Amino acid sequence: MKRCLNEMKLSFPARGENEAFARACVSAFIAQLDPYVSELAELKTAVSEAVTNSIVHGYRGRPGGVISMQVRLYSDRRVYIRIRDKGCGIADITQAMQPLFTTAPEEERAGLGFSVMESFTDSLRVKSSRGHGTSLVMEKTLRERSGDESVKDGISNKSGRKSGTGSPVR
Amino acid sequence: MPVTTSLDGAVLTARLSGDIDHFTAADMRSEIDRAVTMNPVSELVLDFSAVNFMDSSGIGLVMGRSKLMSELGGKCSVCDPPAYIVKVMKLSGIDKLCPILGEGGVRL
C-alpha cells in the first residue's frame, strides 16, 4: 500500500520572480526522494511552465493574484504536484493544450507549456472554470535508484550534462 | 550578466547564462536584439553552455532570434546546450529551424 511520506503547501503572489522560487522549492522538497538529475530537471521545467501559465494567462500579468502549490511524496516514489490559481480560467482547455497554441505570439510565447508539462510528467490533469481559476495536477513516478552514487553529483551543475545521469530520451 | 555578446567579424556570439524562464527571457531578448541590430551581423551564435535551466520561454527566445536573423538574411544557431535543454528544444522541433551544435560543431 503506497502512503504519503511527506507533504508541503505553499502560496505566493503571481510575480515573475516567483517562477524561479517555485521551481527551487519543488526541487528542494523532491530531493528527499533522491531523484535522478534528469528527473529533477524535468519536474522543475514542468513547474515553471505551470506557474508561468498562472502568471501570464491566469492573472494576465496583473500583480496581486495568488498561486498555491501543493506537493506530496509517496512511498512508491510518486510525486504529486498541484498548482492552482484564482485567475480568469481557461475558456477551452482542449484548444489551450494543443501544441503551439498561444494567445500571446507577440510575446514570443511558443505555445508549448502544456506539451512540456505532458512530456516531462506521467500524467497531467487540468480543471478550469472561467472567472474562477485553474487547477492543475501533475504526477510523476521517479525511477528506483540504482545505488550508483556518482549519478548524484552535479545536481547544482548543468542538469543531465554529466554522463551516467541515465536520462531517458523519449 | 545574463547575456554577454562578442563580435568576431560578422559573427555575433551571445553567451547566455543562468536560468531562462518567462521572467528572465525578456531582458535576454532585448540585449541580443540590440547587439544584432547595432552591428553588421550575418550569423548569430546562441551559446547555451552556461545555461542551467530553460523552460519553453527559451524556445520562444530561440524561435524569435532565428526569425530575426532570417529577416536580416543571416543565420542563427544554438551551441553547447546541456543534454536536458536539447531535449526541451527537440520537443519543439526548433532544431529544424535553428541547428543545435554540440562540441566541435557537430549537429545534435
Side-chain angles (χ1 to χ4, degrees):
Chain A
M1 187 59 192
K2 58 191 191 277
R3 59 201 167 82
C4 183
L5 299 173
N6 205 350
E7 180 184 33
M8 70 96 143
K9 285 178 185 172
L10 185 70
S11 64
F12 50 86
R15 298 172 57 98
E17 296 92 318
N18 288 333
E19 292 164 14
F21 171 72
R23 57 180 188 262
C25 284
V26 169
S27 174
F29 192 65
I30 292 170
Q32 294 176 13
L33 286 181
D34 195 18
Y36 282 95
V37 172
S38 56
E39 292 171 327
L40 205 54
E42 289 171 358
L43 282 170
K44 278 171 72 179
T45 312
V47 166
S48 194
E49 300 293 353
V51 171
T52 302
N53 273 356
S54 289
I55 295 172
V56 177
H57 302 295
Y59 294 115
R60 308 220 164 124
R62 279 181 281 112
V66 172
I67 297 170
S68 51
M69 190 162 77
Q70 180 181 21
V71 183
R72 288 191 201 133
L73 310 178
Y74 287 92
S75 57
D76 60 355
R77 299 185 61 73
R78 186 162 51 96
V79 178
Y80 166 102
I81 302 171
R82 188 180 71 179
I83 292 168
R84 283 196 302 182
D85 66 61
K86 292 193 159 96
C88 66
I90 302 169
D92 183 341
I93 295 179
T94 312
Q95 184 191 41
M97 291 179 79
Q98 287 297 314
L100 303 175
F101 174 79
T102 177
T103 52
E106 71 284 356
E107 291 168 33
E108 295 190 353
R109 302 285 309 147
L112 287 167
F114 280 119
S115 303
V116 168
M117 287 185 251
E118 279 182 321
S119 302
F120 286 174
T121 60
D122 299 335
S123 77
L124 167 68
R125 299 193 297 276
V126 184
K127 276 189 214 158
S128 192
S129 159
R130 284 194 85 172
H132 294 94
T134 301
S135 169
L136 183 152
V137 171
M138 299 183 279
E139 290 185 280
K140 186 180 180 77
T141 302
L142 306 178
R143 285 173 296 143
E144 290 298 330
R145 295 295 303 208
S146 63
D148 177 2
E149 286 304 300
S150 68
V151 167
K152 266 170 76 178
D153 296 336
I155 283 180
S156 60
N157 294 327
K158 286 175 204 76
S159 316
R161 198 133 203 231
K162 305 229 159 157
S163 58
T165 51
S167 168
V169 178
R170 284 182 216 171
Chain B
M1 273 300 282
V3 183
T4 49
T5 54
S6 59
L7 193 64
D8 179 8
V11 180
L12 182 83
T13 301
R15 188 169 194 271
L16 292 85
S17 61
D19 290 11
I20 307 179
D21 60 19
H22 159 255
F23 182 66
T24 59
D27 283 350
M28 291 180 170
R29 285 202 303 257
S30 52
E31 184 65 30
I32 298 168
D33 289 0
R34 199 177 55 84
V36 166
T37 47
M38 275 173 49
N39 299 289
V41 176
S42 67
E43 188 179 346
L44 172 66
V45 178
L46 299 168
D47 179 351
F48 268 69
S49 61
V51 176
N52 293 317
F53 172 85
M54 181 188 105
D55 65 15
S56 67
S57 310
I59 298 169
L61 183 141
V62 174
M63 267 164 57
R65 307 295 73 65
S66 172
K67 197 167 149 235
L68 173 69
M69 286 313 295
S70 110
E71 280 165 10
L72 294 171
K75 54 182 187 173
C76 180
S77 62
V78 167
C79 84
D80 274 342
Y84 134 82
I85 288 181
V86 175
K87 202 170 152 187
V88 181
M89 285 185 181
K90 290 208 165 176
L91 197 80
S92 68
I94 186 80
D95 52 312
K96 294 179 186 80
L97 229 91
C98 177
I100 305 170
L101 308 174
E103 255 173 82
V106 180
R107 196 161 177 161
L108 298 176

